[in-house]
PDB file of all heavy atoms in Angstrom:
ATOM      1  N   THR A  25       2.592   3.414   7.672  1.00  0.00           N
ATOM      2  CA  THR A  25       2.724   2.405   8.719  1.00  0.00           C
ATOM      3  C   THR A  25       1.335   1.799   8.960  1.00  0.00           C
ATOM      4  O   THR A  25       0.321   2.356   8.512  1.00  0.00           O
ATOM      5  CB  THR A  25       3.236   3.039  10.026  1.00  0.00           C
ATOM      6  OG1 THR A  25       2.248   3.968  10.499  1.00  0.00           O
ATOM      7  CG2 THR A  25       4.560   3.749   9.815  1.00  0.00           C
ATOM      8  N   PRO A  26       1.230   0.682   9.669  1.00  0.00           N
ATOM      9  CA  PRO A  26      -0.090   0.073   9.913  1.00  0.00           C
ATOM     10  C   PRO A  26      -1.116   1.024  10.539  1.00  0.00           C
ATOM     11  O   PRO A  26      -2.268   1.050  10.115  1.00  0.00           O
ATOM     12  CB  PRO A  26       0.246  -1.092  10.849  1.00  0.00           C
ATOM     13  CG  PRO A  26       1.627  -1.501  10.449  1.00  0.00           C
ATOM     14  CD  PRO A  26       2.324  -0.210  10.124  1.00  0.00           C
ATOM     15  N   ILE A  27      -0.694   1.830  11.524  1.00  0.00           N
ATOM     16  CA  ILE A  27      -1.653   2.742  12.155  1.00  0.00           C
ATOM     17  C   ILE A  27      -2.101   3.812  11.163  1.00  0.00           C
ATOM     18  O   ILE A  27      -3.265   4.215  11.135  1.00  0.00           O
ATOM     19  CB  ILE A  27      -1.066   3.380  13.444  1.00  0.00           C
ATOM     20  CG1 ILE A  27      -2.117   4.227  14.168  1.00  0.00           C
ATOM     21  CG2 ILE A  27       0.149   4.231  13.161  1.00  0.00           C
ATOM     22  CD1 ILE A  27      -3.286   3.477  14.709  1.00  0.00           C
ATOM     23  N   GLN A  28      -1.188   4.273  10.308  1.00  0.00           N
ATOM     24  CA  GLN A  28      -1.546   5.276   9.303  1.00  0.00           C
ATOM     25  C   GLN A  28      -2.493   4.687   8.261  1.00  0.00           C
ATOM     26  O   GLN A  28      -3.479   5.324   7.872  1.00  0.00           O
ATOM     27  CB  GLN A  28      -0.276   5.824   8.639  1.00  0.00           C
ATOM     28  CG  GLN A  28       0.577   6.668   9.577  1.00  0.00           C
ATOM     29  CD  GLN A  28       2.001   6.858   9.083  1.00  0.00           C
ATOM     30  OE1 GLN A  28       2.368   6.362   8.012  1.00  0.00           O
ATOM     31  NE2 GLN A  28       2.816   7.564   9.844  1.00  0.00           N
ATOM     32  N   ALA A  29      -2.222   3.470   7.832  1.00  0.00           N
ATOM     33  CA  ALA A  29      -3.062   2.818   6.818  1.00  0.00           C
ATOM     34  C   ALA A  29      -4.490   2.623   7.325  1.00  0.00           C
ATOM     35  O   ALA A  29      -5.451   2.741   6.558  1.00  0.00           O
ATOM     36  CB  ALA A  29      -2.454   1.480   6.419  1.00  0.00           C
ATOM     37  N   GLN A  30      -4.636   2.342   8.622  1.00  0.00           N
ATOM     38  CA  GLN A  30      -5.973   2.113   9.182  1.00  0.00           C
ATOM     39  C   GLN A  30      -6.672   3.409   9.573  1.00  0.00           C
ATOM     40  O   GLN A  30      -7.876   3.565   9.351  1.00  0.00           O
ATOM     41  CB  GLN A  30      -5.867   1.205  10.413  1.00  0.00           C
ATOM     42  CG  GLN A  30      -5.462  -0.222  10.098  1.00  0.00           C
ATOM     43  CD  GLN A  30      -5.573  -1.111  11.325  1.00  0.00           C
ATOM     44  OE1 GLN A  30      -6.622  -1.218  11.952  1.00  0.00           O
ATOM     45  NE2 GLN A  30      -4.474  -1.760  11.681  1.00  0.00           N
ATOM     46  N   ALA A  31      -5.926   4.330  10.176  1.00  0.00           N
ATOM     47  CA  ALA A  31      -6.563   5.529  10.740  1.00  0.00           C
ATOM     48  C   ALA A  31      -6.899   6.587   9.693  1.00  0.00           C
ATOM     49  O   ALA A  31      -7.963   7.214   9.767  1.00  0.00           O
ATOM     50  CB  ALA A  31      -5.670   6.133  11.817  1.00  0.00           C
ATOM     51  N   ILE A  32      -6.020   6.810   8.725  1.00  0.00           N
ATOM     52  CA  ILE A  32      -6.217   7.913   7.781  1.00  0.00           C
ATOM     53  C   ILE A  32      -7.562   7.837   7.039  1.00  0.00           C
ATOM     54  O   ILE A  32      -8.301   8.829   7.002  1.00  0.00           O
ATOM     55  CB  ILE A  32      -5.023   8.013   6.805  1.00  0.00           C
ATOM     56  CG1 ILE A  32      -3.787   8.554   7.549  1.00  0.00           C
ATOM     57  CG2 ILE A  32      -5.348   8.926   5.619  1.00  0.00           C
ATOM     58  CD1 ILE A  32      -2.497   8.564   6.743  1.00  0.00           C
ATOM     59  N   PRO A  33      -7.943   6.683   6.463  1.00  0.00           N
ATOM     60  CA  PRO A  33      -9.250   6.633   5.782  1.00  0.00           C
ATOM     61  C   PRO A  33     -10.424   6.903   6.718  1.00  0.00           C
ATOM     62  O   PRO A  33     -11.412   7.529   6.323  1.00  0.00           O
ATOM     63  CB  PRO A  33      -9.304   5.200   5.231  1.00  0.00           C
ATOM     64  CG  PRO A  33      -7.886   4.748   5.162  1.00  0.00           C
ATOM     65  CD  PRO A  33      -7.213   5.409   6.322  1.00  0.00           C
ATOM     66  N   LEU A  34     -10.326   6.446   7.970  1.00  0.00           N
ATOM     67  CA  LEU A  34     -11.415   6.646   8.937  1.00  0.00           C
ATOM     68  C   LEU A  34     -11.563   8.120   9.300  1.00  0.00           C
ATOM     69  O   LEU A  34     -12.672   8.644   9.391  1.00  0.00           O
ATOM     70  CB  LEU A  34     -11.149   5.814  10.196  1.00  0.00           C
ATOM     71  CG  LEU A  34     -11.196   4.294  10.024  1.00  0.00           C
ATOM     72  CD1 LEU A  34     -10.705   3.593  11.290  1.00  0.00           C
ATOM     73  CD2 LEU A  34     -12.614   3.828   9.682  1.00  0.00           C
ATOM     74  N   VAL A  35     -10.419   8.784   9.516  1.00  0.00           N
ATOM     75  CA  VAL A  35     -10.461  10.212   9.850  1.00  0.00           C
ATOM     76  C   VAL A  35     -11.015  11.009   8.672  1.00  0.00           C
ATOM     77  O   VAL A  35     -11.852  11.893   8.838  1.00  0.00           O
ATOM     78  CB  VAL A  35      -9.061  10.730  10.255  1.00  0.00           C
ATOM     79  CG1 VAL A  35      -9.118  12.224  10.573  1.00  0.00           C
ATOM     80  CG2 VAL A  35      -8.535   9.962  11.470  1.00  0.00           C
TER      81      VAL A  35
END
Side-chain angles (χ1 to χ4, degrees):
T25 64
I27 185 65
Q28 291 163 1
Q30 291 188 56
I32 288 174
L34 293 171
V35 179

